[in-house]
Amino acid sequence: MARTKDFDEDEVLGKAIDIFWHKGYNGTSMQDLVDALGISRSSLYDTYGDKHTLFMKALESYQNEASGKICAIVNSPGPTKETIRILLELITGELLGDQRHKGCFMVNAEVEVAPHDPEVNQLVCTNDQQVEDAFYTVIKKGQESREIANPQDARALARFTFNTVKGLRVTAKSITDKAVFDDIIKLAMAVLD
């Protein structure tokens, strides 16, 4: 008869996200995970398989939560430029609110792991495409309503805006001056005029 788990898998996954995010994939040992997650090594292996599988589940969970926030903003009614500003300010606010300056878990994985791991690379690329598509949807809508005056291709503008987001996420690992981020957002918004 199989034993029932005496821990909450979502709670454990949240802790795994935190440790991978803080220490990186390569900097996190199995012992770090056992200590941080509060479960036995055998439970860890029985539930998640290995460190890589747990890392993938952590990235997927992070992606789902972040995508949910972005989709909620993109699908809310309101002026398109304001929607873009809200997205940029949400991202900046989350980054500046992090006292440990972890940056973005997905971007960290993209830099550290994706170049050497096809599975992580695929997840990162899928995530990037979803976020770019969200910006494209808003920008295209804004161009059609003439709220966004820039006649450049909406896809190119979405890629530029998303690249700006990635830059913000990297910058937040070392800079915490809100004025720096406000300047970047202001200039990114000016591109849409």
Side-chain angles (χ1 to χ4, degrees):
M1 189 164 122
R3 286 185 56 193
T4 57
K5 292 186 174 80
D6 56 351
F7 58 90
D8 181 325
E9 285 188 47
D10 291 335
E11 183 180 322
V12 167
L13 193 55
K15 290 177 182 178
I17 289 169
D18 189 58
I19 190 144
F20 280 128
W21 196 350
H22 180 64
K23 296 186 86 169
Y25 178 76
N26 293 316
T28 302
S29 69
M30 283 304 288
Q31 190 60 50
D32 291 333
L33 291 168
V34 169
D35 293 344
L37 302 181
I39 62 175
S40 69
R41 189 176 295 266
S42 62
S43 291
L44 182 65
Y45 282 115
D46 289 346
T47 304
Y48 301 104
D50 58 13
K51 177 177 141 178
H52 186 267
T53 302
L54 178 56
F55 184 72
M56 290 301 298
K57 287 183 182 296
L59 272 178
E60 288 167 358
S61 178
Y62 177 85
Q63 176 194 25
N64 290 336
E65 183 178 332
S67 294
K69 288 179 186 176
I70 290 170
C71 287
I73 292 169
V74 167
N75 294 324
S76 64
T80 57
K81 284 172 69 174
E82 185 61 23
T83 299
I84 294 168
R85 180 182 308 284
I86 289 168
L87 280 169
L88 294 173
E89 289 175 351
L90 169 76
I91 291 162
T92 300
E94 288 176 348
L95 292 167
L96 293 176
D98 177 18
Q99 298 302 311
R100 295 192 294 174
H101 312 291
K102 298 183 310 270
C104 170
F105 184 35
M106 190 65 68
V107 172
N108 294 351
E110 181 174 9
V111 172
E112 179 194 8
V113 186
H116 316 287
D117 186 320
E119 195 174 359
V120 172
N121 186 59
Q122 181 58 49
L123 180 64
V124 167
C125 288
T126 298
N127 177 75
D128 286 359
Q129 191 61 57
Q130 288 174 343
V131 178
E132 179 189 305
D133 288 347
F135 279 114
Y136 171 78
T137 298
V138 175
I139 290 168
K140 187 73 172 161
K141 179 179 158 190
Q143 286 178 325
E144 289 169 356
S145 69
R146 302 200 191 289
E147 184 182 348
I148 292 177
N150 189 325
Q152 294 286 327
D153 178 67
R155 180 61 65 182
L157 289 169
R159 288 179 177 142
F160 170 81
T161 306
F162 180 53
N163 191 59
T164 300
V165 167
K166 280 191 170 188
L168 290 168
R169 289 173 168 167
V170 172
T171 300
K173 289 182 73 74
S174 59
I175 296 175
T176 59
D177 183 355
K178 186 176 181 313
V180 170
F181 293 87
D182 290 344
D183 286 345
I184 294 168
I185 291 172
K186 183 178 178 183
L187 190 56
M189 295 302 299
V191 168
L192 301 175
D193 292 331

